[in-house]
Amino acid sequence: MKDTTSIIATFDTPDTALRVTKLLNVWFTWILEGSSDEIDDLTDLFDDFGLVFDDYQDTDEVDWNETPEIDLNLKGTEVIIRLEGKGAIIDTIKDLLHSVGAYDVTVDEEE
C-alpha cells in the first residue's frame, strides 16, 4: 500500500494560485520525467516568483523504486496536491509553496 499525502496551500488571490499551479505542473513533470526540455520554462517560472530554480532541483527525497503519483488541482485561492508514494519530497514542496507566497500550507499524511 502506498503512503498518501495531501497538501493544501492557500494564496491571496486566484491569479496567484493559478500561477503557482502552472509552476508546480511543469516542476512535477520535470521531477518525474527528468526531461531537460523544460529547464528554460522552469527557470523563467521560478524567476517570476523571485526564486532560483537551482534551489529546487534536489530530488534526493524521492524513492525512485516507487515513483510518486501526483495529482494537482486548483480551487479558487487553494492549490491542492495529492501525492502517493514514499519519499514524495514533502518538505521541498512545503518550502516551495511558502516561497511563492502561500500564507497557509496544510499537510495531511495517511498510510
Side-chain angles (χ1 to χ4, degrees):
M1 177 180 281
K2 293 184 178 184
D3 294 335
T4 301
T5 303
S6 297
I7 303 171
I8 300 173
T10 306
F11 294 88
D12 58 346
T13 67
D15 181 57
T16 302
L18 177 61
R19 289 176 50 226
V20 170
T21 302
K22 288 178 182 178
L23 178 139
L24 289 172
N25 189 40
V26 176
W27 186 64
F28 287 146
T29 300
W30 175 80
I31 287 171
L32 295 176
E33 296 176 7
S35 173
S36 61
D37 295 340
E38 287 92 13
I39 294 294
D40 290 337
D41 291 340
L42 275 168
T43 301
D44 291 343
L45 288 168
F46 276 79
D47 285 348
D48 289 346
F49 284 98
L51 301 174
V52 178
F53 172 62
D54 290 346
D55 294 342
Y56 296 92
Q57 288 193 49
D58 184 11
T59 59
D60 288 343
E61 294 177 57
V62 177
D63 178 357
W64 292 113
N65 293 319
E66 184 180 329
T67 303
E69 295 175 23
I70 302 170
D71 183 33
L72 179 62
N73 293 291
L74 174 65
K75 183 178 179 184
T77 59
E78 293 182 337
V79 175
I80 304 160
I81 305 161
R82 182 184 156 116
L83 303 126
E84 292 185 7
K86 293 182 182 253
I89 60 173
I90 304 304
D91 291 336
T92 303
I93 293 169
K94 289 183 343 187
D95 178 53
L96 178 57
L97 291 168
H98 283 293
S99 295
V100 294
Y103 64 85
D104 184 49
V105 177
T106 304
V107 177
D108 181 27
E109 297 184 61
E110 304 170 10
E111 286 191 43

